[in-house]
Amino acid sequence: MRPEIHQSAVTGCRQNRAMLMAGLAMIFMLIMSAAPAPLQAASQVAEIMLNDKADAKGVVAEHQSTFPTSVGEIFGTTLIAGAKKGQAVTTELFYMTRNLSILSSTDDLPNDGEVTLTFAFPKPDKGWPVGNYKLVVSTAGGATKTVTFQVK
């Protein structure tokens, strides 16, 4: 009689093991379907370049850190990595010699991925005051980058 009980116990364990594996597979599939989507990298202000020259699209090719007082416009190019369409980007220009915010502009990003933004600061009516300036570019997601320059 013992061999029959033993054989029955082995068969029962094999059947239960198969059901246990099927149940675990089902639970795993449910967990995976309910898991949140992978996080996307947050946007970053990857680069800021300023120059008194830009191409036909307004893109600056090389950074310049000193400008003459007579310069007509100061052009800027900012590269935003990991951009999300519609996210706000603010550009602020500060005259550090007097600790003044002199220009501020906010634009929405036109698409996702890597976005190149261009902008230009026109010469003030009385020319650019001599001194130190700071440009801060920030995204609504909290990414910020600063570049300084001088007008001599």
Side-chain angles (χ1 to χ4, degrees):
M1 188 143 173
R2 251 188 193 290
E4 290 177 31
I5 294 174
H6 181 65
Q7 185 64 28
S8 172
V10 171
T11 305
C13 284
R14 286 183 185 157
Q15 289 174 349
N16 286 339
R17 179 194 244 172
M19 290 182 66
L20 176 64
M21 294 306 284
L24 287 174
M26 184 64 93
I27 290 170
F28 179 74
M29 289 181 359
L30 286 171
I31 289 171
M32 292 307 292
S33 67
L39 294 176
Q40 296 215 347
S43 61
Q44 295 180 328
V45 182
E47 187 173 16
I48 302 173
M49 292 189 297
L50 301 173
N51 203 309
D52 58 359
K53 295 175 186 72
D55 68 14
K57 293 182 180 180
V59 177
V60 170
E62 185 178 344
H63 182 67
Q64 179 178 338
S65 59
T66 305
F67 298 89
T69 57
S70 61
V71 69
E73 276 186 294
I74 296 176
F75 298 95
T77 298
T78 300
L79 176 63
I80 308 292
K84 295 299 276 175
K85 183 178 180 177
Q87 183 179 40
V89 175
T90 301
T91 305
E92 294 180 274
L93 181 61
F94 296 90
Y95 179 51
M96 298 307 295
T97 305
R98 296 237 174 131
N99 201 25
L100 297 171
S101 172
I102 53 176
L103 289 172
S104 181
S105 173
T106 300
D107 298 295
D108 292 336
L109 294 174
N111 48 29
D112 293 335
E114 284 198 1
V115 175
T116 301
L117 296 178
T118 60
F119 50 89
F121 300 114
K123 176 178 153 183
D125 294 338
K126 295 181 181 180
W128 289 94
V130 172
N132 298 314
Y133 293 78
K134 173 173 73 171
L135 176 67
V136 179
V137 177
S138 57
T139 67
T144 301
K145 191 163 186 99
T146 301
V147 66
T148 58
F149 65 95
Q150 291 183 321
V151 173
K152 294 182 176 183

